[in-house]
Amino acid sequence: MLAGEAPPTPMPLATSLIAGRRVAGAGLRLPVMNPALGVEIAGLAEAGPAEVNDAVVAARHAFRTSGWPQASVEHRQAMLLKLSDAVFAAADELAQLECAALGVVMRELRERHMKRAALNFRFFAEVIGQARGEVYDQTHGYRSIVVREPVGVAALIAPWNAPVALASMKIAAALAFGNACVLKPSEQTPLALLRMVEILHEAGLPDGLVNLVNGRGAVTGQALVSHPDVDLISFTGGTATGRAIASEAGRRLKPVTMELGGKSANVIFASADLERALDAALVGIYSNNGQQCLAGSRILLERSIAHDFIDRFVARARAIRVGDPLNDRTELGPMASSAHRDRVLGFAEGARREGAELLTGGHAVPVGGAHSNGYFIAPTAILSPSPDILAVREEIFGPFASFMIFDTYDEAIELANATDFGLVAYVWSDHVPTVERAVRDLRAGVVWVNTPMMRELRAPFGGYKDSGLGREGGEACMQFYTEVKTVTWPSTPVNVKKIGTG
Ligand code: TXE
């Protein structure tokens, strides 16, 4: 250091947060990269099995001693509303941190992700205010009631594509129904979630109810999902990881929800409002940098409109502003990591080899200045002659649209369902009977008609086939995050048959 020069500021370190305190064990130190700059901006202190154990013990201790599981609904609602307000107030700070490690454009993070996160706490406060039980009195002389109780300690595993928005839903649901939890963020994007959990504590959340451990899936994640004192696991991520975690949970007989990948069909009939369908097709595949499970990544077009639709789509895709995610004019930021950029581009190359036409993109985009090492790629689209090529079958998780053309309704549905996934599907038509049939025939957990994605939190969300197990949503989360207990008693004292009286 030269005389007079300020000492270098130490890089932030994403630690664990256990019983309300930051903890950095002796585990590996991993780099956290800024994908728009291609530089390391923070470190991550990986939690090994001992630290994960401390987090689970802290959660169990809070579950037993904090009084949270027994607290009145009013008390829990008041706390959830405080947490919601605190997240809302910190939206800008959280969006900055999320943007730094994820590269989704700030505008989307501020306006969608952070609002969603704050609303998740408010939403579950409302859900528990409306919860009701069951009564059975059909058996003469008896009454049975069904009550719900918190389960215990939940392991929450979050992905990197929308860390705060997705993990906050899991935390809010676990807390609302009286549980304690341990959250493991993705090792790529630990910054905003760590700060969010800190903010929850600053807002008054009792220590130990929400703990956080940072680290890679194979180390920290594995230690968490295989911990014997974890009672249930909620996972959002890739299908291969989901299978591994579900097998672990199966061995231990622990309930799981799995929100996995998608390769969703966006079926556009000639009878659609094509202007709206075009806007929605672009948003459906290029928003959130194309890195979202509910992307409409397979766009199926009726032949009579296909040529014109593709021309207009491609012109708009080429006009998308790629660049610095902090700039409010930017529409597409960088891919989340260099490996992910290479993987996405590899699909374009592979598609060409398999006979698809590359309509646009398929290459990196040089963004100058400070961003010259960022992981930027051009919005990409291919026209595929068949549903069998790799780029049409696999979830690419990037700004990569695959077009296919159909002639008949039956062909449209066959193409739409020709996938291992079944998370969501989109259908565009103003012909009511066509819509009614498609809604019935599409094999997906959510079908959006004449609209881009519109997440109704009250309704179940989750996938058919390889897209998942279980559902998230008001009622669905109540079922997952509570144990159910049946209590039976007689209306008048029963005459118990006497045995052992000689
Ligand atoms: O996900 P992983 P990756 C899809 C998308 C993407 C692919 C791979 O197609 O390209 O999955 O992404 C943790 N025990 N989606 O590799 O590995 C991991 O540390 C416990 C779809 O990043 O599934 C991270 O916190 N945890 C998707 C989380 O699991 C483990 C969102 C997700 O990482 C673990 C993300 C283990 N053995 C990717 N292995 C969606 N549904 O939205 C990993 N993890």
Side-chain angles (χ1 to χ4, degrees), residues 157-160 184 186-187 217 221 235 237-238 241 259-260 293 395 397:
I157 313 270
W160 49 262
K184 196 205 82 67
S186 164
E187 56 274 35
F235 172 75
T241 314
E259 207 267 85
L260 307 177
C293 56
E395 181 179 45
F397 221 59

Side-chain angles (χ1 to χ4, degrees), residues 205-294:
L205 181 73
D207 291 347
L209 285 177
V210 180
N211 306 278
L212 178 150
V213 285
N214 269 315
R216 287 165 296 171
V219 178
T220 315
Q222 174 61 27
L224 181 58
V225 297
S226 59
H227 194 290
D229 209 24
V230 159
D231 297 306
L232 68 172
I233 302 167
S234 172
F235 172 75
T236 301
T239 296
T241 314
R243 281 188 214 283
I245 294 177
S247 325
E248 183 65 49
R251 277 195 324 112
R252 293 172 187 279
L253 280 184
K254 301 299 180 201
V256 288
T257 52
M258 298 268 140
E259 207 267 85
L260 307 177
K263 189 76 186 178
S264 300
N266 181 2
V267 190
I268 303 172
F269 291 95
S271 50
D273 177 332
L274 294 175
E275 213 47 56
R276 286 204 169 87
L278 177 65
D279 291 341
L282 286 150
V283 168
I285 187 60
Y286 297 135
S287 58
N288 215 61
N289 292 352
Q291 298 165 161
Q292 52 186 342
C293 56
L294 29 72

Side-chain angles (χ1 to χ4, degrees), residues 2 13 16 34 40 102 125 142 177 187 202 230 275 292 303 318 327 331 349 365 392 400 440 453 484:
L2 298 173
L13 185 66
S16 297
N34 178 319
E40 185 178 341
L102 172 63
Y142 283 91
F177 296 108
E187 56 274 35
E202 288 163 12
V230 159
E275 213 47 56
Q292 52 186 342
R303 189 171 302 277
R318 287 188 179 142
N327 183 337
E331 293 171 310
E349 193 41 49
V365 170
V392 175
F400 193 119
R440 185 196 63 201
M453 53 200 74
V484 70

Side-chain angles (χ1 to χ4, degrees), residues 57-139:
V57 167
R60 179 63 62 191
H61 183 72
F63 185 72
R64 290 219 176 101
T65 63
S66 67
W68 180 256
Q70 301 79 21
S72 68
V73 165
E74 286 88 345
H75 178 82
R76 273 190 256 150
Q77 284 181 308
M79 176 62 73
L80 288 164
L81 293 178
K82 266 204 270 181
L83 303 183
S84 173
D85 290 346
V87 171
F88 195 76
D92 213 57
E93 180 191 359
L94 292 174
Q96 294 275 357
L97 289 168
E98 197 85 297
C99 187
L102 172 63
V104 165
V105 296
M106 262 300 273
R107 194 174 19 79
E108 280 190 56
L109 291 170
R110 256 193 329 252
E111 290 167 16
R112 286 201 308 122
H113 293 224
M114 300 309 151
K115 267 195 194 145
R116 172 80 285 141
L119 280 173
N120 283 338
F121 290 97
R122 186 165 292 274
F123 170 71
F124 281 102
E126 282 164 18
V127 171
I128 56 173
Q130 298 296 325
R132 62 214 177 316
E134 298 162 36
V135 180
Y136 298 93
D137 55 6
Q138 294 91 336
T139 301

Side-chain angles (χ1 to χ4, degrees), residues 261-264 298 416-417 419-425 443-446 462-468 471:
K263 189 76 186 178
S264 300
R298 293 182 303 135
N417 291 338
T419 167
D420 293 335
F421 297 104
L423 191 56
V424 310
R443 303 279 301 152
V446 176
Y464 284 22
K465 302 192 269 182
D466 287 358
S467 288
R471 297 290 185 269

Side-chain angles (χ1 to χ4, degrees), residues 368-411:
H371 299 94
S372 47
N373 291 325
Y375 316 136
F376 300 94
I377 68 171
T380 298
I382 61 164
L383 175 61
S384 177
S386 103
D388 299 327
I389 72 168
L390 205 62
V392 175
R393 284 189 286 119
E394 294 263 316
E395 181 179 45
I396 296 176
F397 221 59
F400 193 119
S402 298
F403 283 97
M404 283 181 290
I405 296 174
F406 64 86
D407 287 297
T408 63
Y409 171 87
D410 287 343
E411 200 187 336

